[in-house]
Amino acid sequence: MKRSQMFTKTLRDAPADEVARNAVLLIRAGFISKQMAGAYAYLPLGKRVLDNIVQIIREEMDAVGGQELLMTTLQSRDIWEKTNRWDDAVVDNWFKTKLKNGTELGVGLTHEEPIVDMLRLYVDSYKDLPLYVYQIASKFRNELRAKSGLLRGREFMMKDMYSFARTQSEHDELYEKAADAYTRVYDRLGIGDRTYRTAADGGYFTERFSDEYQTLSKVGEDTIYVDKTKKLAINKEIYTDENLAKLGLVKEDLVEEHAIEVGNIFPLESKYSDALDLYYTDENGKKQSVIMGCYGIGVSRLVGVLAELFADDKGLVWPKAVAPAQVYLINIGNDENVVKNTTELYEKLKAKNIEVVWDDRDARPGEKFADADLMGIPYRVVLSEKLGSDTVELKSRTAENAELLLPEQLIKKITTNA
Ligand code: ATP
Ligand code: MG
């Protein structure tokens, strides 16, 4: 990518209508663009970050046997009536729309109902189970407040997985396997150390807890009590002596923290499968309930969480695993040799599959440095007349000082560190 060809621009000042730090930084750096409150477009750099997060999640869901599919956004009213979730008095954040003939449709806010309804076509024997299916797609929710940038959108990206098991113990296995996959996702995103599996309300139809994945942050809407040694937490909403005892947590070991829910997993028992008539026949020809679980990850919320957590007074600081590019390449001045050497290095990096943004604009060095920092690209590489033709300057986004290297050393360093 060459800056001279990118249509996006960085902004010096914060947009007047944003209060959330994640949105301010992402807009200023040219990663997202606000369409209205709670709805953001992803610009090329932001789209890359989103895609990198999606890819990590996809790999981990595939690794446990998840089968990816893509459901429709438009949903029919009758399946939601079967589970009693159509009524606005029951689910208060629906977006709904109508066909020309007046038939009401739902705009997908989650997909338990349509997925269960669809699986009736494919699941009928014990041989068809167990099963995980998942998708990564936009969800629509008429949230009351949407002032937290990507943390709470009215249109946002979610990974939602659903598990279908024959018995409670088979369900428990799937549930824990998915929980382990979640841990790996958050580790790979660089937030594993501050993300806690947190016991929370399981809903009115189950005695069990649900599990939220909560990332510590002072801007978090949730309050949780954390046991840092056990790496477990409990949501304030269910913080009672009885629940602490059930979880084996001790009051004295817990600290109160604010956190952002980056994902959650729910035991659904057979609430949705029974209601929508999804059953299987066991080895003895007997009709049995299907035990379900659902597993959400806030994909676009994670873009916001990473922007919120990994930033300093100069701008964003992306973890390498999700950064839109690894190198921000800068030529200082337009000296013929410098431009030639920079072009060569740009091509070499690309040939090694290292993603580069080359700031080839005719701009002041200070402007280029400021953009490199604002965009939060892990490595900044500078070529200039002063450095001479054999030397490049490398500075990591998080380091105080730069170092001088030969171009070959630079490539080696980046490929081995990336
Ligand atoms: P919250 O309590 O934050 O509203 P939720 O309980 O409604 O979340 P789910 O419906 O289970 O969450 O959605 C799964 C995941 O999707 C959540 O853990 C969260 O990370 C993310 N998410 C939920 N609502 C939003 C939203 N409005 N904008 C962005 N991400 C969201
Ligand atoms: Mg919600």
Side-chain angles (χ1 to χ4, degrees):
M1 263 183 298
K2 292 183 184 172
R3 266 313 286 278
S4 62
Q5 288 165 14
M6 285 166 59
F7 75 88
T8 53
K9 292 194 173 123
T10 54
L11 307 175
R12 190 180 293 271
D13 298 312
D17 58 343
E18 284 293 352
V19 284
R21 170 170 149 115
N22 68 85
V24 168
L25 282 170
L26 289 165
I27 291 171
R28 281 190 53 214
F31 282 58
I32 62 172
S33 179
K34 187 179 197 166
Q35 305 299 290
M36 63 187 88
Y40 296 87
Y42 291 85
L43 304 175
L45 292 173
K47 175 77 166 49
R48 283 185 169 217
V49 174
L50 187 72
D51 287 347
N52 291 340
I53 294 175
V54 162
Q55 190 50 29
I56 287 173
I57 295 172
R58 178 176 285 134
E59 284 170 17
E60 296 301 339
M61 297 305 114
D62 287 349
V64 295
Q67 301 183 48
E68 188 171 0
L69 47 69
L70 182 59
M71 300 300 289
T72 63
T73 297
L74 297 178
Q75 304 185 345
S76 77
R77 169 182 171 158
D78 34 310
I79 53 173
W80 288 86
E81 281 179 332
K82 289 187 183 155
T83 58
N84 191 32
R85 292 214 289 178
W86 177 258
D87 195 338
D88 290 334
V90 179
V91 173
D92 64 3
N93 55 3
W94 267 115
F95 280 111
K96 292 176 179 170
T97 186
K98 279 196 183 94
L99 295 179
K100 297 273 187 206
N101 69 8
T103 305
E104 276 191 291
L105 299 178
V107 179
L109 48 71
T110 181
H111 282 81
E112 283 82 4
E113 280 80 350
I115 283 191
V116 173
D117 184 57
M118 183 185 74
L119 280 183
R120 287 191 308 137
L121 275 174
Y122 307 104
V123 170
D124 53 26
S125 150
Y126 66 94
K127 291 181 194 151
D128 300 327
L129 297 171
L131 184 67
Y132 284 115
V133 295
Y134 75 98
Q135 62 172 344
I136 298 167
S138 293
K139 297 279 188 269
F140 299 84
R141 294 185 183 177
N142 206 342
E143 303 275 6
L144 194 57
R145 275 176 298 278
K147 288 189 183 157
S148 316
L150 293 185
L151 302 184
R152 186 168 297 286
R154 296 200 168 102
E155 174 175 346
F156 62 97
M157 193 70 85
M158 193 200 287
K159 186 282 301 175
D160 45 326
M161 181 160 81
Y162 305 86
S163 69
F164 301 84
R166 293 170 287 201
T167 59
Q168 192 59 54
S169 68
E170 188 170 74
H171 163 82
D172 292 346
E173 252 175 62
L174 295 180
Y175 192 85
E176 286 309 315
K177 209 158 77 165
D180 292 343
Y182 272 43
T183 304
R184 286 191 293 274
V185 166
Y186 302 122
D187 281 346
R188 289 179 64 181
L189 294 176
I191 53 173
D193 56 337
R194 59 182 108 191
T195 300
Y196 286 83
R197 183 171 174 171
T198 304
D201 191 19
Y204 68 90
F205 56 90
T206 176
E207 294 287 292
R208 293 162 173 254
F209 297 116
S210 69
D211 290 282
E212 293 171 346
Y213 286 78
Q214 296 276 6
T215 304
L216 305 188
S217 159
K218 54 185 190 309
V219 303
E221 287 179 8
D222 288 30
T223 304
I224 64 173
Y225 294 90
V226 176
D227 184 328
K228 301 213 166 163
T229 324
K230 290 204 177 107
K231 198 84 213 287
L232 283 176
I234 176 170
N235 196 305
K236 188 177 185 176
E237 289 167 358
I238 61 154
Y239 182 84
T240 63
D241 288 333
E242 196 193 332
N243 282 338
L244 286 178
K246 275 193 202 165
L247 293 160
L249 292 173
V250 183
K251 226 173 222 169
E252 291 67 44
D253 298 339
L254 301 177
V255 252
E256 187 180 294
E257 297 273 8
H258 288 288
I260 305 170
E261 185 191 309
V262 289
N264 64 18
I265 62 180
F266 265 95
L268 298 176
E269 307 206 340
S270 59
K271 177 182 154 71
Y272 297 105
S273 43
D274 287 350
L276 288 155
D277 206 25
L278 175 72
Y279 294 96
Y280 74 95
T281 315
D282 70 12
E283 290 90 331
N284 306 313
K286 204 169 154 242
K287 184 174 157 184
Q288 300 283 3
S289 283
V290 176
I291 313 298
M292 286 180 61
C294 72
Y295 312 81
I297 292 183
V299 181
S300 51
R301 178 176 288 184
L302 276 166
V303 179
V305 167
L306 297 178
E308 199 75 50
L309 293 177
F310 300 124
D312 59 20
D313 55 352
K314 296 194 183 94
L316 298 157
V317 185
W318 295 110
K320 288 188 190 117
V322 303
Q326 296 302 312
V327 174
Y328 195 92
L329 182 63
I330 295 173
N331 62 298
I332 293 181
N334 289 320
D335 169 75
E336 202 181 311
N337 258 323
V338 171
V339 173
K340 182 176 139 282
N341 291 334
T342 313
T343 310
E344 269 173 32
L345 182 57
Y346 177 67
E347 294 303 335
K348 263 191 206 149
L349 288 166
K350 284 204 302 182
K352 294 264 176 198
N353 282 324
I354 299 167
E355 285 165 329
V356 199
V357 175
W358 175 13
D359 197 338
D360 59 336
R361 296 171 304 165
D362 189 12
R364 288 179 299 107
E367 201 177 323
K368 296 188 179 189
F369 290 146
D371 274 6
D373 284 342
L374 179 58
M375 289 181 181
I377 313 267
Y379 295 107
R380 185 188 80 191
V381 175
V382 179
L383 283 78
S384 71
E385 238 181 305
K386 202 171 95 199
L387 288 168
S389 55
D390 288 339
T391 313
V392 301
E393 183 199 86
L394 171 70
K395 188 186 160 302
S396 151
R397 177 65 178 81
T398 48
E400 278 293 310
N401 301 311
E403 55 185 317
L404 301 180
L405 299 167
L406 298 170
E408 290 69 38
Q409 292 173 313
L410 169 89
I411 288 172
K412 190 150 176 240
K413 185 145 195 163
I414 291 173
T415 43
T416 49
N417 268 352

